[in-house]
Structures are given as C-alpha cells and as structure tokens.
Amino acid sequence: MEDTTSSGVGVLDKAAMVLSALEAGPATLAQLVSSTGLARPTAHRLAVALEYHRMVARDMQGRFILGPRLQELASSAGEDRLLSAAMPVLIALRDHSKESTQLYRRQGDVRICVAASERKMGLRDSIPVGATLSMKAGSAAQVLLAWEEPDRLHRGLYGASFNATMLSQVRRRGWAQSVGEREPGVASVSAPVRGPSGRVLAAISISGPIERMGRQPGRQHGPSVVAAANRLSDFLRTVEDVEL
C-alpha cells in the first residue's frame, strides 16, 4: 500500500511536520521535538531554516510560531480576485485623472505591474503588464514598503530614493507621490490596496509627465487614487465575507 503520509522528499515532509505542529500554537524546541518525533538537532535545523525564509518566526518568549510569509502566500492565492476587479477600477481612475493607471504587486526585491490601463491619447507613461520595476524608487515602491514590518522596512530603505521620514508621511496621508524619482520627467501617485486582514497586497497608481501632473501631483490626484484603492480593498473584503 502507498504511504500517503510521505511525499518521498524527506526534508519537505519533515518541514511540513514542523509547520503542522506550530499550527496548534507557539512551541519551544522541546515541544517541537515531542510533537513531531524528530531528533532535536533536525527539528532545530529545520525550524531555523524556516525562520530564515519567514515561514517560522519567534514570539516574545523566544518560542517558535508560524511566520508572516505564510500569510503573504495565502494572500497571493487570492490574486485572481484582485485582478478580476482591478480593470474596471483602473479604467475609471484613468478616465477621471486622464492619466495612465497601473496596479503593482511586490515580489521579493522588485515590484511587478500586474494590470494597467493606458491613457487613450497624447503623451503616455507606458508601463506594460509584466514589467519589473525597482523597489528603490517610485510612489508604488513607497506604498509597498511603507507598511512592512520594521526590519523589512529598514532593509528596503538601503539605497532607496526615499527615506523613513517620507514613508512615515505616506502612512499618515494614505498615499505616496514621486516626481522624477523612478524616471526623469515622470510623476506618479500611489495608494495601498488591502486584503481582508488589512495587509497591503498591492499599490494602485497613476503616472504621467511632470509637465501635466505637476511637482505636487498628490495634491490633485491623491484623493482619487485613495478612493480607487479603497474600492478594490472593499471588493476583496466583500468577497471574503460572502465566502465565509
């Protein structure tokens, strides 16, 4: 009979045992050893490796707990819902602002344009779907970093065109702006799209030439970009409530 408890890849099976054990709550190393049946050095090595990848973390008492990366992956599983709702919102924002609109998601050290609606005519700031952009510059990068955990936020600031004070302003206002930060002559405004848990899943943006958007584009476009982001966030929350 086939062993359904084993995938045939021993290290993955053991890592899954550690994660399953932590599903019950915080655990010391001794408790992990007891609940998984793994040898103490093996349990410790796996827990520390999973901690490195943020699938495991530590609580205030130093016990192992499930890490933030698992929630991020679960949120990403709902990306199809986000994309299905994004285009009508991006088009409406484009028509209101008369500028190109985009939706970005963070992937490691970069951000990716996962949806876009181009300005119908005149000078455009064309960013195709699938484009990979830096997390070190631009209003969307600011938004995707501003609400991160403190250690991740500070790592993200290394070499960035913005600083901690600017990200504090982003959190207070609810939107970010950049003027010639990512690319000379281009301005943009972005706001966070949040999942049902409140975590920032994406950034919705408008972008265009500085001569059209001005040196303080957030003053004009901030409220409309925030409203568009809130519409997407509300949609994701409504879908979650219906499913529950």
Side-chain angles (χ1 to χ4, degrees), residues 91-212:
I91 291 170
L93 181 60
R94 178 203 66 191
D95 292 345
H96 174 78
S97 66
K98 305 297 188 292
E99 302 294 349
S100 299
T101 57
Q102 305 86 29
L103 185 72
Y104 294 98
R105 294 206 66 170
R106 182 174 184 176
Q107 186 170 311
D109 294 330
V110 298
R111 54 187 168 103
I112 297 176
C113 179
V114 295
S117 180
E118 284 294 335
R119 191 171 188 263
K120 293 180 179 179
M121 60 195 320
L123 189 59
R124 307 175 182 179
D125 175 37
S126 297
I127 301 173
V129 172
T132 299
L133 301 179
S134 171
M135 277 293 295
K136 301 298 184 182
S139 62
Q142 294 178 41
V143 164
L144 292 171
L145 188 62
W147 283 272
E148 282 282 11
E149 302 156 11
D151 60 333
R152 233 183 156 198
L153 187 153
H154 290 301
R155 285 200 304 271
L157 286 173
Y158 183 77
S161 300
F162 42 82
N163 55 37
T165 299
M166 293 171 67
L167 294 190
S168 177
Q169 294 171 345
V170 170
R171 290 191 294 274
R172 186 179 69 251
R173 292 184 310 223
W175 51 263
Q177 67 178 6
S178 72
V179 179
E181 190 177 289
R182 176 183 63 83
E183 183 179 340
V186 175
S188 67
V189 182
S190 300
V193 177
R194 299 178 183 275
S197 68
R199 181 178 165 271
V200 175
L201 297 182
I204 191 168
S205 308
I206 65 171
S207 61
I210 292 174
E211 58 261 32
R212 212 163 49 218

Side-chain angles (χ1 to χ4, degrees), residues 21-51:
L22 294 179
E23 188 179 2
T28 63
L29 179 57
Q31 290 168 331
L32 271 184
V33 170
S34 175
S35 59
T36 63
L38 296 171
R40 185 181 181 90
T42 300
H44 181 262
R45 186 171 65 252
L46 287 171
V48 170
L50 289 167
E51 184 180 10

